[in-house]
Amino acid sequence: MTATARLTSAQPHVSSPLPGPRSAELLQRQARRESGARVYPRHFPFVVAEAQGSYIRDLDGNVFIDFLAGAGVLSFGHNHPELVEAATKQMSVFTHGLDMPSPAKDAFTEAQLSMLPEQVRDHMKIHFCGPTGANAVDAAIKLAKTATGRGGVVAFQGGFHGTTHATMALTGNLSNKGAVANGMPGVHFFPYPTGCVPDDVDPATWDATCAALLEKALTDPNGGIPTPAAVIMEMVQGEGGVNPVTLQFAQRVRQLTRQLGIPLIVDEVQTGCGRTGTWFAFEQYDIEPDIIVASKALSGMGLPIAIIMYHQDLDVWAPGAHTGTFRGNQLAFAAGAKAVEMVRRDNLLGNVQARSEQVARALEPLTAHRGVREVRGKGLMWGVELNAPGDGRNAGQLAEEVQARALRAGLILELGGRDDCVVRMLPPLNVTAEVMDIALTIMARAIKDAYREQALAA
């Protein structure tokens, strides 16, 4: 049996302190040479030796289930052989093409447009952006401003759209904004209907209240906000704590923006490519966006690529109006076209839906635990919001301890939400029921043990 085959059939196990001695050496070198902005090595102190499917092995022989999956990039897990083969074959043919056509790009374009709902695809156009989701968000905002001649943008509290200069201005989290003066002007934030309902408000009516506040501000002559160039919204706020938008709110926002002639941008960077059980999350809300932003999982294997798809009526850019050197990644095109083929052939969305039901059943008992405020999610995008002992103010600290305990048991989890108090999972979309069972058992145990320890110390 090869080392890779052994890895895919392995059980998670951590037999050394983290970091182990071999990992510690490389982590120390990284700390000396790389920027202080690095994040993941601080939470996951090991060095990757190899990865396959849902598993990672570090240099010291520890094996982890990876439920971060490149922040949702790896739809088919690490190094899926068919995707590797498609990219490798393309590598010897043509690798970098700016915006020139090629068979690989044509196949990718056809694949992406074919995954749109039938009533949408015939009037949509596609634009290839720089290689990241933030690049695509920038492009979407720029297109909306160009098409409307207006300058303002409406975004939502708790949202995350990137950490570039412009996308940071659209993001609700204030932690990075204080260090960067003079952000992009003209952004107006409104409350989002889930994730942080005020204590004195009935959660059952909060979505209607949020919609009414937005409608009043945009239609009142004394509301203070000129008609904006765009409204940008996530159907599920990922970094914001796995907050799915409500059906009523999503439909009222769409109705309002259409009535006022405001392009609606749906940011599907994290929710797209099947993550929530449909190819795009907006399909579950019976709405049609004007602009769709996609990136992370487009290649299925982490090769960088980002696109926007938009209504043809917005196609106002002149030649060269929005360019980018790395928008012609032929390896990502080849892998991405193959990934769509595999999604259909292997009924990947069916697996997402089945595993989602498995997660919901397994985590439901946690809702009665004193350390859990809420369990929420869609598809294979789930979060557990924690509630610390005592006054609850140490929920972020509790979440960090849960993450650390899970890692020591062989499971990689992410954090998010306000004060990072939500423990999140973004597993590969082809994860098996067996691997999911192991991971959920580790996660539940980590939450209970971390809460008990913090309660004893309180």
Side-chain angles (χ1 to χ4, degrees), residues 100-117:
M100 293 183 288
S102 71
K105 184 178 185 180
D106 184 70
F108 177 86
T109 300
E110 177 63 28
Q112 297 308 314
L113 292 174
S114 75
M115 295 300 282
L116 289 170

Side-chain angles (χ1 to χ4, degrees), residues 274-277 284 348-364 375-382 425 427-429 431 433 436 440:
R275 173 58 57 184
T276 65
Q284 300 175 42
L348 188 71
L349 298 181
N351 188 66
V352 173
Q353 293 158 12
R355 300 289 72 74
S356 181
E357 293 171 3
Q358 180 183 0
V359 174
R361 288 193 303 270
L363 295 185
E364 196 279 332
V375 175
R376 50 185 182 257
K378 278 183 177 291
L380 284 176
M381 188 176 181
W382 283 84
M425 63 169 67
L429 304 189
V431 64
M436 182 63 79
L440 291 171

Side-chain angles (χ1 to χ4, degrees), residues 6 34 94 129 158 197 240 275 290 346 352 369 384 409 454 457:
R6 287 196 300 271
E34 291 189 25
F94 183 44
C129 311
V197 180
R275 173 58 57 184
D290 298 296
D346 300 340
V352 173
H369 192 276
V384 178
Q454 195 174 96

Side-chain angles (χ1 to χ4, degrees), residues 300-319:
M301 61 180 298
L303 294 173
I305 186 171
I307 61 174
I308 58 173
M309 291 183 284
Y310 57 90
H311 195 286
Q312 60 192 10
D313 290 349
L314 296 174
D315 193 30
V316 297
W317 274 337

Side-chain angles (χ1 to χ4, degrees), residues 208-383:
T209 301
C210 291
L213 289 170
L214 177 63
E215 182 172 356
K216 178 67 172 175
L218 295 184
T219 58
D220 185 351
N222 292 319
I225 301 177
T227 302
V231 171
I232 185 167
M233 178 169 64
E234 297 166 280
M235 309 313 294
V236 183
Q237 291 183 340
E239 305 303 314
V242 194
N243 303 313
V245 72
T246 63
L247 178 66
Q248 178 184 7
F249 185 78
Q251 292 188 345
R252 286 190 67 179
V253 169
R254 175 67 285 194
Q255 181 182 19
L256 177 64
T257 53
R258 181 167 285 130
Q259 173 190 332
L260 299 178
I262 304 169
L264 175 62
I265 302 170
V266 171
D267 182 342
E268 296 263 10
V269 170
Q270 190 165 115
T271 52
C273 303
R275 173 58 57 184
T276 65
T278 49
W279 187 249
F280 286 118
F282 74 79
E283 299 173 57
Q284 300 175 42
Y285 293 88
D286 194 25
I287 64 171
E288 296 180 14
D290 298 296
I291 305 175
I292 304 162
V293 181
S295 179
K296 280 185 184 291
L298 285 172
S299 74
M301 61 180 298
L303 294 173
I305 186 171
I307 61 174
I308 58 173
M309 291 183 284
Y310 57 90
H311 195 286
Q312 60 192 10
D313 290 349
L314 296 174
D315 193 30
V316 297
W317 274 337
H322 193 79
T323 62
T325 302
F326 294 103
R327 58 195 167 123
N329 187 342
Q330 306 295 312
L331 307 185
F333 295 155
K338 183 66 177 179
V340 169
E341 175 189 325
M342 292 163 60
V343 166
R344 291 189 168 113
R345 183 196 71 196
D346 300 340
N347 188 25
L348 188 71
L349 298 181
N351 188 66
V352 173
Q353 293 158 12
R355 300 289 72 74
S356 181
E357 293 171 3
Q358 180 183 0
V359 174
R361 288 193 303 270
L363 295 185
E364 196 279 332
L366 280 179
T367 60
H369 192 276
R370 288 175 296 176
V372 174
R373 183 182 179 94
E374 189 176 13
V375 175
R376 50 185 182 257
K378 278 183 177 291
L380 284 176
M381 188 176 181
W382 283 84

